Amino acid sequence: MTATAHPFDTLLVANRGEIARRVIRSAREAGLATVAVYSDDDREALHVREADSAVRLGPAPAAQSYLSIEAVLHAARVSGAEAIHPGYGFLSERADFAAAVGEAGLVFVGPPAEVVAVMGRKDHARAVAERAGVPVVPRSELAADGVADPRQPADNAVGFPVIVKAAAGGGGKGMRIVRAEPELRAALESARREAAAAFGDDTLLIERYLENGRHVEVQVLADCHGSVVHLFERDCSVQRRHQKVIEEAPAPTISEAVRRQLTSAAVALAREVGYRNAGTVEFLVANGEVFFLEMNTRLQVEHPVTELVTGLDLVRLQLLVAAGDPLPFGQDDVLVTGHAIEARVYAEDPYSGFLPQAGRATIVRWPRPERARVDGALESGSKVTTAYDPLVAKIIAGGPTREAARRNLVAALDETAVVGLTTNVGFLRSLLASSAYQRAEIHTSWLDADPAGARACEMPEIPRVCEPIAAWVLARVTARVETAARHSPFGTADGWRLAGPAARIPVELRYAGTTSSWQVDPVTGEVRGSGGGPLRIGLVERGEDRVRLDVDGVVVETTIVVDAHQVTVTLQGQPWVLERPDAFAPSKSPGTASRDVVAPMPGTVLSIDVVPGDRVATGQVLGVLEAMKMELALKAPHNGTVERAGAVPGDQLALGDVVFTVEPDEGTLEQAAP
Ligand code: ADP
């Protein structure tokens, strides 16, 4: 038998975000036409723009869009798609979806529906693993037939601690670690409720909890001609609440013997279940012992690290075997070269309980392509909602050794800046720079339970150079204004000169409730102040969104965003927001000035969104100014009525020009004033 059992020319990607873009890229390279799908929230999304065509699925809630089998199949019909790639998440591990795709006469880029069904359940997958001779985690006697009865927390043969998990589970949901008998009943009950709500199935498993283990998983690939190969392993032990944060290949702590055991167990399991396409067999490795955890019957989020070290394109191979072609290589042809590490960028606040974040990212700057691969779906101006998974990008770096890859990834995160939307980039950067990571000591519960892990989740101190840099930039803005220059403060590469004798420029900053005063010498670049210094700062190089500064002889790369009320300085991936309690924050100052909305910097009017007579609310955007290559929203200082709109798009404004006057509602002015 040869190729073309199910040939297809058009692929629908039933997903969104970075993974939809990733699949579209390889599909295009394979010569396929691509169809994107989208919810109302994603009409303008990057994956929609990049596909050859796009079909709307429905409203924003996933249940009515990306999780609707009916809507996805309808999209395939109207677009003439002949195959569907599910990505990860959403419908990717739904056996009913895989079956429905087949019944509709389309090719599902994944394993057969029966395999998805069996491996999608941790209890059934365990049984397959046992049949294939793969070691599994000891299961509690409490779990009769793999099903725990919370009414009988009697004899626990495996001993405590145990982990309670949902048989139908995923994404760490429905998991509870139980350290002693008295906690068991409550844990079972809450896990059961969570499992029922998340998966519509409340079957639970109780396993021995393996402390300080490492999560090591094996990538497998199988075609429909009987060939099953592995692409070696990934270590995904850096986790928070059983969710992966940083992954790498190869695994840094296992012996060759354990590696052979893992890879052969994964291949045996894939053969046993009649696997096809790409899949991942997950294991826990504790004290040199290997235990099967589960199998994921889809492409993993972390597949790029395997691609970097093997040089293979996993999506391309998925499409190939889905088309019925044989794998174009054998096991002996798969070689691992060097090391790769991936960091997952989430829209979340790591320093405030990892709460998911929403909002518009005003500035997004990714590392240079020669530094790292970025699989993302976020650009300047992108809006992130909490309707979907908070993963916005993955940054993947490689190198000849683990240490080289780690250094490259740290440098890549240093080049990354996301402003306006809170992400975990700074957290990832400090984690990767830690000695615990460098020494490969981070195990699966380190971030959740180890004191050093807990410290890594605390907001770090503001870097010493941060406020001086902010003061220096603000002084430059001021100096530019005084010399009537209309360009950005970075407009000249050779420092800046004032017409008259150099007077020190005073700047005030506020951080964490404390105001500091700074004096900046515009000729020497010396910054001194109540909060630190003296430091000498000079401009080395100015890029599109980034500047390189010489700070006391050390070159610092940063992205700086100045707006009316704050300055954001991004250092080592972390944006530090400093308030400007000074004259450049006009709408915050009391008196008649606060009726006026003035240009906080010299710039060009991009839009005027209100006309005199309009009723406006505090914070409402009245117009947009472009200054220093940034868009600056001019906002209403209080509830009121627009009395005057004194500019039109295209107007050049000087600092302090009045753009709008808003007559406050009775009594609101006093409240608005500080
Ligand atoms: P999910 O499908 O929800 O991702 P997994 O079974 O893959 O669940 O487990 C996710 C993570 O939970 C693992 O990587 C590991 O950190 C932890 N875990 C699961 N089972 C155990 C166990 N028996 N002992 C210790 N940790 C475990």
Side-chain angles (χ1 to χ4, degrees):
M1 261 207 324
T2 48
T4 62
H6 305 286
F8 49 85
D9 296 319
T10 305
L11 178 76
L12 182 142
V13 184
N15 217 299
R16 65 183 298 281
E18 68 88 13
I19 194 59
R21 300 184 72 199
R22 163 72 192 93
V23 174
I24 289 168
R25 185 164 40 126
S26 284
R28 176 159 297 147
E29 281 167 17
L32 302 177
T34 53
V35 181
V37 291
Y38 62 92
S39 74
D40 288 344
D41 260 15
D42 282 341
R43 200 180 296 275
E44 308 282 317
L46 284 163
H47 76 277
V48 174
R49 285 187 258 152
E50 284 168 0
D52 297 318
S53 60
V55 183
R56 174 183 178 269
L57 291 177
Q64 294 166 61
S65 51
Y66 298 105
L67 280 174
S68 165
I69 294 178
E70 208 181 306
V72 171
L73 291 180
H74 175 76
R77 265 195 308 280
V78 301
S79 61
E82 297 146 305
I84 298 185
H85 193 301
Y88 56 71
F90 292 129
L91 295 170
S92 63
E93 289 188 282
R94 287 266 301 269
D96 52 346
F97 178 60
V101 171
E103 281 155 22
L106 308 173
V107 176
F108 180 69
V109 183
E114 314 83 71
V115 176
V116 178
V118 174
M119 300 318 262
R121 287 202 38 135
K122 294 187 202 298
D123 46 355
H124 297 168
R126 263 183 81 100
V128 176
E130 282 172 335
R131 280 208 305 279
V134 174
V136 295
V137 187
R139 192 173 64 195
S140 167
E141 289 303 310
L142 295 175
D145 299 328
V147 181
D149 182 348
R151 288 158 301 184
Q152 300 174 350
D155 182 34
N156 174 16
V158 303
F160 287 94
V162 295
I163 183 164
V164 175
K165 32 170 118 161
K173 285 202 194 84
M175 282 199 181
R176 299 284 184 283
I177 296 160
V178 182
R179 301 212 163 259
E181 166 89 45
E183 304 160 19
L184 185 61
R185 182 185 296 268
L188 287 170
E189 279 167 9
S190 72
R192 198 178 285 284
R193 277 195 303 274
E194 199 170 303
F199 314 112
D201 180 333
D202 67 358
T203 313
L204 299 181
L205 278 178
I206 304 176
E207 287 175 357
R208 177 189 295 166
Y209 180 64
L210 298 160
E211 304 265 13
N212 307 348
R214 297 198 66 109
H215 174 117
V216 185
E217 58 185 33
V218 177
Q219 177 71 54
V220 294
L221 258 181
D223 64 18
C224 52
H225 305 275
S227 173
V228 183
V229 298
H230 68 81
L231 305 185
F232 291 92
E233 81 287 349
R234 297 182 283 260
D235 182 309
C236 317
S237 300
V238 182
Q239 301 186 350
R240 225 202 110 256
R241 303 227 173 118
H242 316 302
Q243 291 264 61
K244 297 160 189 165
V245 181
I246 295 170
E247 304 101 340
E248 62 185 289
T253 62
I254 59 170
S255 65
E256 256 329 294
V258 167
R259 175 168 294 119
R260 269 196 302 278
Q261 202 190 340
L262 289 166
T263 51
S264 55
V267 169
L269 186 73
R271 279 197 192 288
E272 173 68 34
V273 75
Y275 203 78
R276 278 217 301 274
N277 216 285
T280 296
V281 185
E282 299 190 330
F283 299 90
L284 263 179
V285 179
N287 304 319
E289 270 196 280
V290 166
F291 302 96
F292 168 74
L293 272 181
E294 66 161 350
M295 180 166 196
N296 288 326
T297 54
R298 53 165 165 83
L299 190 68
Q300 299 275 91
V301 175
E302 59 274 20
H303 75 276
V305 292
T306 298
E307 295 188 320
L308 252 64
V309 296
T310 60
L312 296 168
D313 178 335
L314 274 163
V315 174
R316 186 85 178 251
L317 290 165
Q318 283 193 294
L319 295 171
L320 192 88
V321 298
D325 284 353
L327 281 171
F329 53 80
Q331 186 63 64
D332 292 344
D333 303 317
V334 183
L335 299 174
V336 168
T337 310
H339 204 98
I341 311 178
E342 172 183 280
R344 295 189 183 195
V345 179
Y346 287 107
E348 66 181 13
D349 187 351
Y351 304 126
S352 142
F354 293 85
L355 274 181
Q357 301 290 306
R360 196 178 288 281
T362 46
I363 300 268
V364 176
R365 193 191 90 193
W366 296 119
R368 289 168 293 160
E370 57 271 31
R371 181 73 86 188
R373 163 174 164 182
V374 178
D375 283 16
L378 192 77
E379 56 179 4
S380 295
S382 289
K383 212 173 122 194
V384 170
T385 72
T386 49
Y388 310 114
D389 192 273
L391 181 77
V392 293
K394 303 167 330 200
I395 304 180
I396 312 106
T401 61
R402 181 176 192 265
E403 185 54 14
R406 189 190 67 83
R407 282 174 198 269
N408 278 336
L409 188 51
V410 168
L413 292 167
D414 283 349
E415 290 184 7
T416 303
V418 180
V419 178
L421 171 76
T422 302
T423 72
N424 65 340
V425 173
F427 168 75
L428 291 171
R429 196 274 182 201
S430 53
L431 209 52
L432 282 156
S434 69
S435 60
Y437 185 83
Q438 189 181 18
R439 290 195 228 118
E441 287 168 358
I442 300 185
H443 52 77
T444 56
S445 53
W446 191 84
L447 279 172
D448 296 321
D450 194 282
R455 278 196 299 280
C457 301
E458 281 167 18
M459 181 79 179
E461 293 273 306
I462 187 166
R464 199 178 60 89
V465 297
C466 200
E467 285 172 289
I469 290 174
W472 179 84
V473 166
L474 289 179
R476 258 181 111 87
V477 172
T478 313
R480 281 276 147 199
V481 170
E482 285 175 2
T483 53
R486 276 218 307 262
H487 304 292
S488 89
F490 304 120
T492 50
D494 58 344
W496 81 101
R497 301 280 183 270
L498 285 183
R504 287 178 182 274
I505 299 171
V507 175
E508 285 209 322
L509 293 170
R510 183 191 284 273
Y511 179 74
T514 307
T515 303
S516 54
S517 308
W518 302 86
Q519 304 279 321
V520 182
D521 185 320
V523 175
T524 63
E526 190 188 80
V527 183
R528 57 171 74 230
S530 60
L535 280 175
R536 202 170 270 221
I537 301 180
L539 181 66
V540 177
E541 195 188 337
R542 175 185 173 232
E544 182 66 10
D545 276 332
R546 69 188 93 187
V547 286
R548 279 151 73 80
L549 305 176
D550 180 323
V551 182
D552 264 357
V554 179
V555 175
V556 174
E557 187 159 328
T558 170
T559 291
I560 302 174
V561 178
V562 181
D563 59 37
H565 303 298
Q566 58 194 36
V567 190
T568 307
V569 178
T570 303
L571 289 173
Q572 302 185 331
Q574 181 69 32
W576 299 93
V577 182
L578 301 145
E579 288 171 58
R580 305 173 59 185
D582 59 20
F584 296 103
S587 64
K588 276 193 177 169
S589 53
T592 53
S594 52
R595 285 187 171 80
D596 296 334
V597 179
V598 303
M601 285 198 277
T604 312
V605 177
L606 284 184
S607 75
I608 295 290
D609 305 340
V610 291
V611 293
D614 280 359
R615 291 266 316 122
V616 293
T618 312
Q620 186 177 330
V621 176
L622 308 176
V624 179
L625 185 71
E626 190 191 62
M628 283 177 65
K629 287 184 179 279
M630 292 169 324
E631 291 191 8
L632 215 67
L634 300 171
K635 295 178 181 168
H638 39 246
N639 294 338
T641 307
V642 177
E643 202 178 83
R644 177 171 168 267
V648 293
D651 278 2
Q652 299 285 323
L653 301 180
L655 174 122
D657 280 357
V658 177
V659 194
F660 302 98
T661 305
V662 180
E663 187 57 33
D665 289 346
E666 205 78 348
T668 55
L669 197 52
E670 287 69 27
Q671 284 165 22

